[in-house]
């Protein structure tokens, strides 16, 4: 059957279905698949979480994925071309994994710095969020994969997110929270996800906002899918403009909806419209008619990337350097960094998932993904490939080896030597890390000159165990992780001694078991043994795994207990902390001595907690270095408690005072000092908001001590959202790298040593202290969360309250300086029409650089109050040293409008508007007036 793309043909297909067959299509077949209808040539469509990577249908560390920088880092790019490239990379990963729909981008806003899911959202501003989200959508959908705009709408915090009723004015809703979704629809997004929360009294899966403005006013012709488990009513949600209930196979619709239609309580035309939209989506994804090339089998071999020469990169040398007292042996030819056994067994040379899983018994198919090679190719002329450079043909090797990351990326110390698909993608990801890094301050310290360095001290636990992604349902198992330490060491080469001092411990929770800590007691391979037992303790399934974090253990018939066992080899003596995560009856035994046993009831229905980050119960045990012990953890499976099982281990806590002293000594002895600090799973994760903006542990004390010893210290901040930096004026430089994804270490080194400029600009305002922030409330009262601030969030709220933050929205430095020399505006502007302003800037520094020219508008006086500035447009510019450039900045017509709540319509206030231009919301040296006049 040929591919079906015509509306009339799809209408004919719709007419062939019975009512029961139509309703059947409206609920998923599984957690991640829609239903097929073979008689129509309709196959299942596969959905997968985003936006930092494409996990696929299962949580399995043996099936890794490329890991992009966090969404907040993408918001910091202020570069739609690069975002489109990254969208194309996501689409290629989706094709490789047989995925049709990526659940990204997240278009909710940074309403308050306490939002726990900041890292997954782009910015605090609707214009920046809308433009960035639209670019990601274009990049994804140019490759025949559907993007999803989520979570519609006002799902901006995590506390009680399943039930909270957000009360927000119609003006704020239209001007701020709905605006990024409107931009997504204009970009052609094919799926919109209805959120868990309610808005103004109606849960979003039954909200009238699904019909208007989404489908009616904006003309969205795609599919509205529920967030997973968000459909709680049958007929009300069916009558609403919701189209697809996920997950399946059960939902509130089914036979109950068939009966409601037959009884006339739900119109048949409503059901037809939902199915019509599903068929349209299927046609766009190649799921209706012939299967698209490469479905489920990986398809083609290359991803368009950025050639190393485009970044001024050089091949990093092989390593054999000294990291403190630890001698690192040389890697295999062409490889760099630490070299350690592969996850698939000693001596293997790739971190890609093996096609056959060793030691698997009774667990069914060995893989949920198709066979074959790398991601689908991005055609050279495709929209998603714009500016992404040529495909690389580099062979194996290159780049530092992978080291463990925090869960879910804990796969052990696995050396990576090019996998065929990876090198071009890695170069693109490396470019994105540097382009999103925000240089908050620089006292003539950066860039560091490697030729002048003999000893470099790299201090902090995050230097070797960075946070490369946020916690929650969007997590992936990265194919590799380059740490800050390895990136720095590889960039400097053998002539520089790189010392790592961990400093005092953070408050990070114990990490899941990794292959460098333990072996599978059955196979002897690095990793753990996962077994599923029946009620009598008989083995139903046995698998070798690489991580103690198993979120989806197999469920063969009769499954009763999940068991994770390992031979743990302690590297240090003392009191170790072992833990097991999950709900129900749980136990942990060491050498057959049961140390923990109890019944732990589920205390939340939040899927991010139940299925992704279940609470861990811990126990202490004294272990001896070099003496292996048997660790066996079990959890019984009970209805409605999920099956996620996590086993963690943490070594004895070092003496923090001694650790601080070691850090100070290292700083005094080094030619350059780099301290890496950051947040932990306790602070930034789906399912909970933040209680404060502190870094945690004694990290602030560490920075103070080191900067006192060496004032030219560079502090690298590894966080997904704002944190308090009480020592910021003492540091030689402060560099924000967000959650940088798998290539964080290489991109960081490129910036530190001047190979490329830090290109990022803040997508959200950073307070000096939480108490200064004008909008902080995330906790509902009596089930309601009132957005009493109206449309004034982010920099608009700071300006309205006449407060100065630590760093304004849009702030970010490069390695050169700029002068803003002129602003030209049109003499007259007509409502409803875009216009262009021109900003003259000069690079006043000694090296070429990139600047993001930002233009804000402030309206005439009178209600509604538009006198506070708001972002209207921006444009990046590059210039050589001393060069003067005039930058055109297009201002869309929407920048002049406001929502009239009385008329329930958009209006533009005539009169004199002020145009302000500069480099951030707090640095706008150029102003001009433009007159807005109605025609006639």
């Amino acid at each position: 059957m040929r591919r079906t793309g015509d509306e009339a043909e799809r209408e004919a297909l719709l007419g062939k279905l019975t009512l029961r067959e139509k309703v059947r299509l409206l609920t998923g077949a599984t957690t991640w698949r829609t239903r097929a209808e073979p008689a129509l040539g309709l196959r299942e469509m596969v959905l997968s979480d985003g936006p930092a990577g494409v996990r696929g249908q299962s949580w399995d560390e043996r099936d890794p994925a490329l890991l992009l920088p966090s969404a907040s880092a993408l918001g910091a790019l202020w570069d739609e071309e690069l975002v489109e490239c990254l969208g194309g990379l996501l689409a290629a990963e989706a094709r490789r994994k047989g995925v049709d729909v990526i659940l990204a981008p997240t278009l909710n806003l940074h309403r308050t710095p306490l939002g726990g899911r900041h890292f997954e959202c782009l910015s605090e501003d609707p214009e920046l969020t809308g433009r960035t989200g639209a670019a990601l959508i274009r990049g994804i959908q140019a490759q025949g994969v559907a993007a999803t705009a989520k979570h519609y709408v006002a799902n901006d915090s995590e506390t009680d997110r399943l039930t909270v009723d957000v009360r927000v004015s119609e003006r704020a809703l239209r001007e701020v929270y709905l605006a990024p979704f409107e931009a997504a629809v204009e970009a052609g997004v094919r799926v919109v996800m209805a959120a868990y929360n309610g808005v103004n009294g109606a849960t979003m899966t039954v909200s009238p906002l699904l019909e208007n403005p989404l489908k009616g006013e904006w003309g969205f012709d795609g599919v509205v899918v529920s967030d997973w488990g968000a459909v709680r009513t049958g007929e009300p949600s069916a009558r609403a403009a919701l189209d697809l209930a996920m997950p399946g196979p059960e939902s509130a619709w089914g036979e109950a909806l068939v009966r409601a239609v037959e009884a006339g309580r739900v119109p048949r035309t409503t059901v037809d419209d939902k199915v019509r939209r599903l068929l349209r989506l299927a046609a766009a994804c190649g799921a209706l008619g012939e299967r698209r090339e490469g479905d489920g089998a990986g398809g083609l071999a290359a991803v368009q990337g950025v050639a190393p020469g485009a970044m001024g990169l050089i091949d990093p040398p092989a390593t054999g350097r000294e990291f403190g007292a630890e001698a690192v042996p040389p890697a295999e030819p062409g490889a760099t960094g630490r070299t350690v056994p592969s996850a698939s067994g000693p001596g293997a040379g790739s971190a890609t998932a093996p096609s056959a899983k060793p030691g698997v018994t009774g667990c069914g198919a060995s893989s949920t993904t198709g066979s074959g090679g790398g991601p689908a190719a991005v055609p050279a002329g495709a929209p998603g490939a714009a500016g992404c450079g040529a495909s690389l043909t580099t062979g194996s090797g290159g780049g530092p080896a992978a080291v463990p990351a925090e869960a879910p990326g804990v796969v052990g110390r696995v050396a990576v030597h090019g996998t065929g698909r990876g090198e071009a993608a890695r170069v693109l990801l490396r470019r994105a890390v540097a382009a999103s890094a925000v240089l908050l301050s620089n006292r003539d310290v950066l860039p560091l000159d490697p030729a002048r360095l003999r000893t470099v001290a790299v201090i902090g636990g995050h230097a070797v165990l960075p946070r490369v992604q946020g916690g929650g349902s969007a997590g992936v198992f990265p194919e590799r992780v380059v740490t800050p330490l390895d990136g720095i060491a590889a960039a400097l080469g053998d002539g520089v001694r790189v010392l790592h001092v961990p400093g005092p411990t953070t408050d990070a929770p114990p990490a899941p078991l990794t292959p460098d800590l333990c072996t599978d007691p059955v196979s002897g391979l690095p990793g753990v043994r996962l077994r599923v037992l029946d009620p009598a303790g008989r083995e139903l399934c046995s698998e070798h795994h690489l991580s103690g974090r198993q979120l989806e253990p197999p469920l063969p018939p009769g499954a009763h207990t999940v068991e994770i066992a390992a031979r743990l080899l302690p590297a240090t003596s003392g009191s170790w902390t072992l833990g097991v995560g999950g709900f129900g009856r749980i136990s942990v035994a060491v050498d057959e001595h049961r140390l923990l046993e109890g019944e732990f009831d589920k205390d939340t229905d939040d899927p991010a907690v139940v299925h992704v980050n279940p609470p861990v119960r811990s126990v202490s045990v004294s272990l001896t270095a070099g003496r292996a012990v048997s660790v066996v953890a079990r959890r019984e499976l009970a209805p409605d408690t999920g099956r996620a099982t996590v086993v963690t281990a943490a070594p004895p806590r070092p003496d923090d005072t001694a650790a601080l002293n070691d850090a100070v000594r290292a700083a005094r002895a080094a030619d350059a000092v780099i301290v890496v600090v950051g947040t932990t799973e306790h602070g930034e994760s789906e399912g909970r908001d933040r209680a404060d903006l502190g870094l945690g542990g004694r990290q602030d004390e560490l920075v103070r001590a080191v900067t006192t010893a060496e004032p030219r210290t560079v502090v690298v901040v590894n966080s997904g959202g704002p944190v308090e930096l009480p020592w910021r004026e003492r540091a030689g430089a402060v560099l924000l790298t967000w959650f940088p994804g798998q290539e964080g270490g290489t991109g960081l080194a490129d910036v530190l040593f001047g190979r490329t400029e830090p290109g990022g600009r803040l997508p959200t305002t950073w307070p000096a202290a939480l108490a200064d922030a004008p909008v902080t409330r995330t906790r509902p009262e009596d089930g309601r969360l009132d957005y009493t601030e109206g449309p004034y969030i982010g920099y608009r709220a700071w300006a309205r309250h006449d407060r100065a933050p630590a760093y304004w929205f849009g702030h970010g430095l490069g390695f050169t300086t700029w002068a803003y020399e002129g602003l030209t505006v049109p003499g007259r502007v007509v409502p409803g029409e875009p216009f262009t302003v021109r900003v003259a800037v000069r690079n006043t520094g000694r090296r070429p650089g990139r600047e993001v020219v930002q233009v804000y508008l402030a309206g005439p006086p009178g209600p509604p109050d538009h006198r506070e500035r708001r972002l209207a447009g921006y444009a990046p510019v590059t210039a050589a040293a001393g060069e003067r450039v005039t930058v055109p900045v297009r201002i869309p017509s929407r920048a002049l409008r406001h929502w009239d709540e009385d008329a329930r319509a958009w209006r533009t206030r005539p009169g004199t508007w002020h145009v302000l231009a500069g480099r951030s919301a707090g640095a706008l040296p150029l102003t001009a007036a433009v007159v807005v006049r109605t025609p006639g």
Side-chain angles (χ1 to χ4, degrees):
M1 179 179 178
R2 66 186 177 87
R3 188 181 297 238
T4 305
D6 182 79
E7 286 285 346
E9 293 184 37
R10 291 198 293 273
E11 200 66 23
L13 294 177
L14 177 64
K16 295 179 180 180
L17 296 173
T18 66
L19 172 62
R20 186 164 275 100
E21 288 170 336
K22 292 174 183 176
V23 170
R24 179 177 174 273
L25 293 175
L26 303 183
T27 294
T30 67
T31 302
W32 298 110
R33 287 178 177 261
T34 63
R35 293 185 186 274
E37 186 54 66
L40 302 185
L42 174 65
R43 65 168 174 84
E44 295 174 321
M45 288 181 284
V46 177
L47 298 86
S48 176
D49 269 318
V54 182
R55 187 176 60 250
Q57 297 181 70
S58 65
W59 290 85
D60 193 329
E61 77 281 3
R62 300 166 300 182
D63 182 21
L66 293 173
L67 177 60
L68 280 66
S70 62
S72 53
L74 301 193
L77 290 171
W78 296 64
D79 184 339
E80 289 153 73
E81 186 177 271
L82 181 52
V83 172
E84 276 197 49
C85 293
L86 295 168
L89 183 60
L90 285 173
E93 278 285 273
R95 295 291 295 268
R96 182 178 69 84
K97 286 177 171 275
V99 168
D100 300 285
V101 180
I102 299 175
L103 303 179
T106 300
L107 298 181
N108 304 115
L109 300 178
H110 297 171
R111 172 179 169 265
T112 160
L114 291 177
R117 213 170 177 178
H118 255 13
F119 59 86
E120 197 178 317
C121 306
L122 295 165
S123 85
E124 70 184 18
D125 180 76
E127 179 70 14
L128 179 60
T129 296
R131 286 179 58 170
T132 307
L136 194 68
I137 289 165
R138 290 193 298 269
I140 292 170
Q141 296 194 164
Q143 313 309 319
V145 176
T148 304
K150 65 180 187 182
H151 308 84
Y152 187 85
V153 61
N155 186 193
D156 309 298
S157 52
E158 296 297 289
T159 306
D160 296 342
R161 64 178 179 144
L162 303 185
T163 58
V164 62
D165 179 20
V166 173
R167 297 301 177 104
V168 55
S169 71
E170 190 173 1
R171 180 189 167 203
L173 196 58
R174 286 283 191 155
E175 294 181 7
V176 178
Y177 299 102
L178 285 170
F181 291 93
E182 184 176 8
V185 173
E186 291 174 356
V189 72
R190 294 184 179 123
V191 183
V192 171
M193 180 187 290
Y196 290 118
N197 59 285
V199 172
N200 295 333
T203 301
M204 281 312 304
T205 51
V206 302
S207 173
L209 294 171
L210 298 178
E211 182 59 43
N212 273 307
L214 180 59
K215 289 185 175 180
E217 180 183 325
W218 298 345
F220 174 64
D221 64 358
V223 170
V224 177
V225 62
S226 71
D227 205 337
W228 267 230
V231 177
R232 299 158 194 150
T233 62
E235 293 179 24
S237 59
R239 285 192 294 268
L242 183 74
D243 301 311
L244 177 62
M246 291 296 288
E250 304 296 332
S251 82
W253 290 354
E255 282 299 315
L257 178 53
V258 173
R259 292 191 296 271
V261 173
E262 290 174 338
R265 296 191 300 273
V266 175
R268 288 178 183 268
T269 55
T270 298
V271 172
D272 285 350
D273 182 67
K274 299 177 193 300
V275 177
R276 187 177 293 117
R277 291 169 179 273
L278 282 168
L279 295 178
R280 187 179 296 128
L281 172 64
C285 295
L288 186 60
E290 294 179 355
R291 290 176 64 85
R292 67 185 181 191
E293 181 182 356
D295 273 338
L300 307 175
V303 176
Q304 296 296 104
V306 178
M311 295 173 57
L313 302 178
I314 59 173
D315 291 329
T319 60
R321 69 185 56 79
E322 188 177 24
F323 289 17
E326 178 186 4
V328 181
E332 293 182 19
T336 61
R338 288 190 175 93
T339 304
V340 292
S342 164
S344 56
S350 172
T352 54
S355 58
K357 300 174 184 176
V360 177
T361 61
C363 299
S366 63
S367 177
T368 58
T369 60
S371 62
V378 179
C388 302
S391 176
L392 296 183
T393 56
T394 308
S396 65
V403 300
E406 80 288 342
V410 180
V411 297
R413 296 176 180 244
V414 181
V416 175
H417 315 294
T419 62
R421 85 170 196 269
E423 195 60 31
R426 291 172 190 165
V427 173
L428 177 59
L429 295 178
R430 178 176 180 173
R431 175 189 172 196
V433 172
S436 64
V438 180
L439 186 56
L440 295 174
S441 64
N442 186 19
R443 292 168 175 81
D444 200 27
V445 172
L446 290 179
L448 300 172
D449 183 357
R452 298 186 177 185
L453 303 177
R454 293 295 175 265
T455 302
V456 174
V458 181
I459 298 172
H462 281 74
V464 292
L465 286 174
R467 286 203 73 188
V468 292
Q469 60 184 321
S473 61
V476 302
F477 293 98
E479 63 163 15
R480 74 175 198 167
V481 170
V482 181
T483 70
L485 178 62
D486 276 347
I488 290 166
L492 290 173
D494 294 332
V496 179
R497 187 168 182 252
V498 178
L499 301 173
H500 176 246
V501 179
T505 57
T506 68
D507 63 352
L513 291 175
T514 56
D516 59 320
L517 284 177
C518 60
T519 59
D520 177 345
V522 175
S523 68
L525 295 172
V528 304
R529 174 60 46 170
L530 170 66
R531 298 200 305 155
V532 180
L533 312 176
D534 70 7
R538 292 186 293 263
E539 180 181 292
L540 300 176
C541 171
S542 179
E543 293 183 347
H544 168 69
H545 277 268
L546 305 173
S547 171
R549 188 169 188 248
Q550 297 300 315
L551 304 185
E552 293 180 338
L555 289 180
H560 178 269
T561 300
V562 176
E563 176 188 278
I564 296 177
R567 293 284 294 173
L568 176 65
L569 184 62
T572 56
S573 298
S575 180
W576 281 67
T577 302
L578 304 180
V580 58
F583 297 98
R585 188 160 190 81
I586 285 175
S587 66
V588 178
V590 174
D591 285 342
E592 300 184 354
H593 295 288
R594 193 159 292 180
L595 303 179
L596 173 69
E597 185 172 22
E599 189 83 25
F600 301 97
D601 295 334
K602 188 184 72 167
D603 56 1
T604 179
D605 290 321
D606 194 311
V609 178
V610 176
H611 303 296
V612 182
N613 288 315
V616 173
R617 279 80 184 184
S618 300
V619 64
S620 296
V621 58
S622 181
L623 301 179
T624 302
R627 181 182 176 277
V629 295
S630 169
V631 176
V632 178
R634 290 181 173 179
R635 71 156 292 189
E636 294 183 4
L637 300 171
D640 197 33
T641 62
R643 50 178 159 150
T645 307
V646 183
V647 181
T648 65
R653 184 183 180 99
D655 180 84
D656 281 351
T657 300
L660 280 170
N661 292 335
D662 289 344
V664 169
R665 280 194 294 270
R668 287 173 175 160
D671 300 311
V673 182
I674 302 162
V675 179
V676 187
V677 294
T679 58
T680 72
E681 288 276 359
H682 285 323
E684 294 186 272
S685 181
E686 180 183 355
R688 59 178 178 270
D689 290 311
R690 302 165 70 183
D692 56 53
L693 300 182
L695 284 171
R698 299 177 69 178
Q699 293 185 88
D700 288 333
E701 189 176 349
L702 171 66
V703 176
R704 288 191 185 98
V706 172
T707 53
T708 298
E710 175 47 80
R712 293 178 60 80
T713 294
V714 178
V715 183
V716 177
V717 181
N718 176 200
S719 72
V723 292
E724 294 175 350
L725 308 174
W727 35 259
R728 65 189 184 280
E729 300 297 334
R730 305 170 57 142
V734 180
L735 179 67
L736 170 62
T737 60
W738 310 102
F739 295 155
Q742 67 178 59
E743 302 301 317
T746 48
L748 170 63
D750 291 336
V751 171
L752 291 175
F753 304 117
R755 292 179 174 180
T756 190
E757 210 180 20
R761 302 295 185 266
L762 285 179
T764 193
T765 305
W766 277 44
L770 176 61
D772 300 336
V775 181
T776 59
R777 185 162 168 254
T778 62
R779 184 167 297 280
E781 294 181 4
D782 298 324
R784 288 178 43 161
L785 181 60
D786 291 297
Y787 284 16
T788 54
E789 67 279 357
Y792 301 102
I793 64 170
Y795 63 91
R796 295 180 69 192
W798 285 89
R800 186 177 179 83
H801 290 273
D802 197 25
R803 298 179 186 176
Y807 305 107
W808 281 98
F809 170 83
H811 171 73
L813 307 175
F815 290 151
T816 188
T817 54
W818 297 86
Y820 280 71
E821 297 183 344
L823 172 61
T824 304
V825 301
R828 179 176 175 231
V829 172
V830 177
E833 295 182 6
F835 62 98
T836 299
V837 304
R838 288 173 171 79
V839 184
V841 296
R842 185 183 301 276
N843 181 347
T844 56
R846 292 174 293 182
R847 58 181 286 166
R850 173 183 181 269
E851 175 72 327
V852 178
V853 175
Q854 303 166 38
V855 175
Y856 296 75
L857 291 181
D865 190 353
H866 270 254
R867 294 180 66 85
E868 286 82 9
R869 55 189 177 268
R870 55 179 176 173
L871 182 68
Y874 60 89
V877 60
T878 58
E883 184 181 6
R884 187 178 193 266
V885 181
T886 298
V887 185
V889 181
R890 182 181 182 275
I891 308 300
S893 60
R894 62 178 175 270
L896 294 169
R897 68 184 186 177
H898 68 271
W899 184 257
D900 186 327
E901 292 186 329
D902 294 330
R904 304 199 70 186
W906 291 106
R907 297 283 187 263
T908 297
R909 179 175 295 280
T912 301
W913 288 66
H914 293 280
V915 182
L916 305 93
R919 57 193 340 265
S920 77
L924 299 168
L926 302 180
T927 61
V930 64
V931 177
V932 176
R933 292 180 180 156
T934 56

